[in-house]
Each structure stands twice: as structure tokens, then as C-alpha cells.
Amino acid sequence: MPSPYRAIFATPGTKGFTAAGLLGRMPLSMVGIGVLTMITELGGSYALAGGITATIALSAAAVGPQVSRLVDQYGQRRVLRPATLIAGAAVTGLLVASAGGWPSWTLFVFAVVAGCVPSVGSMVRARWTALFRDTPQLHTAYSFESIVDELCFIIGPPLAATLSAGWFAEAGPVVALVFLVTGVWWLTALTATEPEPHPHQEHTDRSSALRSPGLQVLVATFVATGAIFGSVDVATLAFAEEHGNKSLGGVFLAIWAFGSCLAGIVFGLMHFKGRAEPRWVLGISAMAVSMIPLLLAGNLPFLAVALFVSGLAIAPTMITTMALIEAHVPHAKLTEGMTWISTGLAVGIALGSSVTGWVVDAAGAQTGYVVSVSAGVAAAAVAFAGYRRLTRPAQGEEPATDGDGDSREEQRGTDRVA
């Protein structure tokens, strides 16, 4: 590892919660592709499969922030374990219903309850923030977490698709469930690095973190960004099947994530001056432009190159987003604030995968990338429209202060760097 990354792991406990977090968030990349492959392998349509994955994502979008609010209030261990058991039982029910040929509506019922799955990535980032708040190491830690996210998307999709297509249909979701339970139990056992909970007191502000105008802009933009991710997932899997090898869809999504991973490694080593907001808007715009070559992909090699290039914009944009969240959200609501970003992504993934499933069934896989381009344009439009709200907190926004009492608005102009 380059020295800035080695430095953050000199702190006791960081290696343990990082490893646990890696296992716990693997389902993030595996469940969507695993369910898509499972449903289609069992004879269902892409429209049905996209609808099921969309339902899981929408449920997670609704329930996830509420789980994280409870975590901020009561702590990770007391909340994550029960939530994981509920989600695990629902996923198990979904697998049994799919294998048993139960009516389609039962699949949707289990998919709704499966949305109780906690946002493990937000839990790990909250631990890094508690350790390195207002230090240069926090930028490096956020960069590393984006790298871990991409590692999950490098390993997860091909693993889930290969297991479900080559072993038995339910294999991908089963392995994802094992990762989730193992990772959450391991993470919550590491109490030394768990952030302090913030129990509600008589005068505690109990409003949602989403009241922050800056967070509202970030979440709205990431709804459209999630639509990019969901549409690319479905269209790429269908494109690979049309070209004779369905399991290659997961490999191609791994190539997409690999480009993002490389960009995240480099971004974490860079030093930036000036405000973070312009870099964030530039990153969103780059993601939108990078969708265009996917429409031109007439064969698998071209698609692989186009996906790799488009992945280069993802991790740097995500890293900058996390820095902006830390600037806009009070410390006592940080986990919830980070989870709202995941919620925005989940809603977008649901919309993108569902719409793309219908488009693929009606017009073919390559046409599905039209949804990706449209989502990219929407993300850039929202980012530009909301730029002022990021640079100028709206009237009534809670003052955000660092540990020394200085306004974080004065400090957030410069990315924290290694």
C-alpha cells in the first residue's frame, strides 16, 4: 500500500472493521445480479426480475435511513443484528418461493421485507469519521472505502452470476446472505471502534438529517446516479446473453468496477486545493458523458473498454460526495446522512433496473443503454441546478461545527487530503 493508506491502518482496530465491512457489504453488489440471474434461470422474464430487484432497492431506500437513525441513537450492535436477522429471513423466503414456483406476488412480499438490510458501508465510514474527523487522514479513509466498494463490485457480480448460472439458480443470493450475516456479526463484535451513540435527550433535535438543503441536493442527484447503475447492470447482463454467454455479464460489470477502483486509488493519493463542490459537479458530468459510448458498443470487446472508461469517474465522485456529507450533516446524524445517499442510489437503481428490464424485453439489450444516458443527463442537470445550495447553506440549516467549534462551512471548501 502507498504510505497514506498504510498510515490510516496504524490505528488499532481499523484492519478488523475494514475486513468485516468488506464481507458485510458484498451483498450490495451480489444481490441485484444474483436475483436477476436466479429469476431468469428459473424461467422468469427480465421485466419480472427487474421488478423484484427494484422492490428490494425501494424497500431498502425507505427502511435504510430509519435503521441508521436508530444506529445513531442506540449504537451499531443493538440495531444491526436484529435488522440483519429480519433481512436474512426475508431473503430466505424469497429463495424458497422462487425455487418452489410460488405466485409472483409472494416474491414481491419477501422483497419488501428484504429491504431491512443495513447499510454496512455507512457503518464503516462512520467508524472512520469518529477516528479521523477534521484530519487529513479522513480523505484517505474515504478514498479507501470507495476502493473497497469497487472491490465488492469487481468480485460480487461475476461471483453471483457464475454461481447462479453455473451451479444452481439460488446460489448467488445464498452466498450473499452468508456474507451479510458473517460481516455484520463480526463488525458489531468490534466494540472498541464503534462510534458513541447519541441518545435522544429532552432538547435533542429529532428531525431527519434530510432537512439539510445540501444533503437534499446530493440525494436527489444520486437518485439519477443510481438509475445509471441499475440500467447498466440489467443492460449489460442482457447484452452478454444476446452475445452467447450470460455469465460474462458479471465479468463485464467487474471491469466497470475495476476502472472505478483504479481511479479511487489514485484519487486518494492526490492533494487538492479549492472548494470540493466544483469537483463534485465535474465528476457527475463526467459520469453522464461516459455513458454515451455504451450506445455504440456493437460487440463484447468494445463494451468492455467502454465500461472500463466510464468507471473512472465513479469512485472520485463518491469520495467527494462523502466529504460533502460530513460537511453538511451534524455529527449526531452522520450515519443517517450517509445512508440517505445509499437511499438515493437505491431508488435510482430500482427505477433504472425496472425501466431497463422493460426496454430490454421490448427492444433489445443495447437499447437499454438509452436509459443509462438519460439518467446521466438527469444527474448532471440536478447537480447544476442544486450547486448554489451546496455552496451556500439555505436559511435555517443547522450550523455545522468541527471539534474546535469552528464552522465546518469555513473548512469544507478544501478536501481533506492525505
PDB file of all heavy atoms in Angstrom, residues 214-227:
ATOM      1  N   GLY A 214     -28.205  20.981   1.581  1.00  0.00           N
ATOM      2  CA  GLY A 214     -27.087  20.399   0.844  1.00  0.00           C
ATOM      3  C   GLY A 214     -27.259  18.907   0.660  1.00  0.00           C
ATOM      4  O   GLY A 214     -27.013  18.358  -0.427  1.00  0.00           O
ATOM      5  N   LEU A 215     -27.683  18.215   1.719  1.00  0.00           N
ATOM      6  CA  LEU A 215     -27.909  16.773   1.611  1.00  0.00           C
ATOM      7  C   LEU A 215     -29.036  16.472   0.638  1.00  0.00           C
ATOM      8  O   LEU A 215     -28.994  15.473  -0.093  1.00  0.00           O
ATOM      9  CB  LEU A 215     -28.215  16.187   2.992  1.00  0.00           C
ATOM     10  CG  LEU A 215     -28.407  14.670   3.052  1.00  0.00           C
ATOM     11  CD1 LEU A 215     -27.149  13.946   2.585  1.00  0.00           C
ATOM     12  CD2 LEU A 215     -28.780  14.234   4.467  1.00  0.00           C
ATOM     13  N   GLN A 216     -30.047  17.332   0.593  1.00  0.00           N
ATOM     14  CA  GLN A 216     -31.144  17.125  -0.351  1.00  0.00           C
ATOM     15  C   GLN A 216     -30.638  17.131  -1.792  1.00  0.00           C
ATOM     16  O   GLN A 216     -31.071  16.311  -2.614  1.00  0.00           O
ATOM     17  CB  GLN A 216     -32.202  18.209  -0.161  1.00  0.00           C
ATOM     18  CG  GLN A 216     -32.958  18.120   1.160  1.00  0.00           C
ATOM     19  CD  GLN A 216     -33.806  19.352   1.438  1.00  0.00           C
ATOM     20  OE1 GLN A 216     -33.947  20.231   0.583  1.00  0.00           O
ATOM     21  NE2 GLN A 216     -34.367  19.424   2.642  1.00  0.00           N
ATOM     22  N   VAL A 217     -29.712  18.021  -2.098  1.00  0.00           N
ATOM     23  CA  VAL A 217     -29.157  18.078  -3.452  1.00  0.00           C
ATOM     24  C   VAL A 217     -28.376  16.805  -3.761  1.00  0.00           C
ATOM     25  O   VAL A 217     -28.513  16.213  -4.839  1.00  0.00           O
ATOM     26  CB  VAL A 217     -28.239  19.315  -3.611  1.00  0.00           C
ATOM     27  CG1 VAL A 217     -27.517  19.278  -4.950  1.00  0.00           C
ATOM     28  CG2 VAL A 217     -29.052  20.595  -3.482  1.00  0.00           C
ATOM     29  N   LEU A 218     -27.561  16.379  -2.807  1.00  0.00           N
ATOM     30  CA  LEU A 218     -26.757  15.177  -3.019  1.00  0.00           C
ATOM     31  C   LEU A 218     -27.642  13.956  -3.233  1.00  0.00           C
ATOM     32  O   LEU A 218     -27.402  13.148  -4.137  1.00  0.00           O
ATOM     33  CB  LEU A 218     -25.835  14.950  -1.816  1.00  0.00           C
ATOM     34  CG  LEU A 218     -24.774  16.032  -1.556  1.00  0.00           C
ATOM     35  CD1 LEU A 218     -24.032  15.736  -0.258  1.00  0.00           C
ATOM     36  CD2 LEU A 218     -23.785  16.120  -2.713  1.00  0.00           C
ATOM     37  N   VAL A 219     -28.679  13.823  -2.412  1.00  0.00           N
ATOM     38  CA  VAL A 219     -29.560  12.658  -2.521  1.00  0.00           C
ATOM     39  C   VAL A 219     -30.320  12.682  -3.842  1.00  0.00           C
ATOM     40  O   VAL A 219     -30.430  11.653  -4.532  1.00  0.00           O
ATOM     41  CB  VAL A 219     -30.535  12.613  -1.330  1.00  0.00           C
ATOM     42  CG1 VAL A 219     -31.579  11.522  -1.540  1.00  0.00           C
ATOM     43  CG2 VAL A 219     -29.783  12.356  -0.034  1.00  0.00           C
ATOM     44  N   ALA A 220     -30.844  13.846  -4.221  1.00  0.00           N
ATOM     45  CA  ALA A 220     -31.588  13.938  -5.481  1.00  0.00           C
ATOM     46  C   ALA A 220     -30.700  13.586  -6.668  1.00  0.00           C
ATOM     47  O   ALA A 220     -31.129  12.879  -7.597  1.00  0.00           O
ATOM     48  CB  ALA A 220     -32.161  15.352  -5.646  1.00  0.00           C
ATOM     49  N   THR A 221     -29.464  14.050  -6.637  1.00  0.00           N
ATOM     50  CA  THR A 221     -28.538  13.725  -7.723  1.00  0.00           C
ATOM     51  C   THR A 221     -28.252  12.235  -7.768  1.00  0.00           C
ATOM     52  O   THR A 221     -28.165  11.627  -8.849  1.00  0.00           O
ATOM     53  CB  THR A 221     -27.225  14.502  -7.550  1.00  0.00           C
ATOM     54  OG1 THR A 221     -27.506  15.905  -7.478  1.00  0.00           O
ATOM     55  CG2 THR A 221     -26.281  14.250  -8.716  1.00  0.00           C
ATOM     56  N   PHE A 222     -28.145  11.625  -6.598  1.00  0.00           N
ATOM     57  CA  PHE A 222     -27.798  10.211  -6.570  1.00  0.00           C
ATOM     58  C   PHE A 222     -28.979   9.299  -6.876  1.00  0.00           C
ATOM     59  O   PHE A 222     -28.779   8.107  -7.116  1.00  0.00           O
ATOM     60  CB  PHE A 222     -27.128   9.858  -5.239  1.00  0.00           C
ATOM     61  CG  PHE A 222     -25.637  10.037  -5.308  1.00  0.00           C
ATOM     62  CD1 PHE A 222     -25.077  11.305  -5.301  1.00  0.00           C
ATOM     63  CD2 PHE A 222     -24.813   8.945  -5.431  1.00  0.00           C
ATOM     64  CE1 PHE A 222     -23.714  11.474  -5.410  1.00  0.00           C
ATOM     65  CE2 PHE A 222     -23.443   9.096  -5.534  1.00  0.00           C
ATOM     66  CZ  PHE A 222     -22.890  10.368  -5.516  1.00  0.00           C
ATOM     67  N   VAL A 223     -30.182   9.830  -6.889  1.00  0.00           N
ATOM     68  CA  VAL A 223     -31.289   9.052  -7.437  1.00  0.00           C
ATOM     69  C   VAL A 223     -31.032   8.806  -8.930  1.00  0.00           C
ATOM     70  O   VAL A 223     -31.152   7.676  -9.426  1.00  0.00           O
ATOM     71  CB  VAL A 223     -32.633   9.771  -7.225  1.00  0.00           C
ATOM     72  CG1 VAL A 223     -33.746   9.066  -8.004  1.00  0.00           C
ATOM     73  CG2 VAL A 223     -32.981   9.817  -5.743  1.00  0.00           C
ATOM     74  N   ALA A 224     -30.675   9.871  -9.628  1.00  0.00           N
ATOM     75  CA  ALA A 224     -30.367   9.725 -11.054  1.00  0.00           C
ATOM     76  C   ALA A 224     -29.107   8.897 -11.262  1.00  0.00           C
ATOM     77  O   ALA A 224     -29.018   8.093 -12.204  1.00  0.00           O
ATOM     78  CB  ALA A 224     -30.213  11.106 -11.697  1.00  0.00           C
ATOM     79  N   THR A 225     -28.111   9.060 -10.394  1.00  0.00           N
ATOM     80  CA  THR A 225     -26.890   8.268 -10.499  1.00  0.00           C
ATOM     81  C   THR A 225     -27.188   6.789 -10.299  1.00  0.00           C
ATOM     82  O   THR A 225     -26.643   5.918 -10.989  1.00  0.00           O
ATOM     83  CB  THR A 225     -25.858   8.738  -9.454  1.00  0.00           C
ATOM     84  OG1 THR A 225     -25.589  10.131  -9.649  1.00  0.00           O
ATOM     85  CG2 THR A 225     -24.566   7.962  -9.589  1.00  0.00           C
ATOM     86  N   GLY A 226     -28.065   6.483  -9.336  1.00  0.00           N
ATOM     87  CA  GLY A 226     -28.460   5.095  -9.127  1.00  0.00           C
ATOM     88  C   GLY A 226     -29.147   4.510 -10.348  1.00  0.00           C
ATOM     89  O   GLY A 226     -28.983   3.322 -10.659  1.00  0.00           O
ATOM     90  N   ALA A 227     -29.921   5.337 -11.050  1.00  0.00           N
ATOM     91  CA  ALA A 227     -30.560   4.865 -12.274  1.00  0.00           C
ATOM     92  C   ALA A 227     -29.520   4.470 -13.314  1.00  0.00           C
ATOM     93  O   ALA A 227     -29.730   3.536 -14.101  1.00  0.00           O
ATOM     94  CB  ALA A 227     -31.496   5.937 -12.826  1.00  0.00           C
TER      95      ALA A 227
END
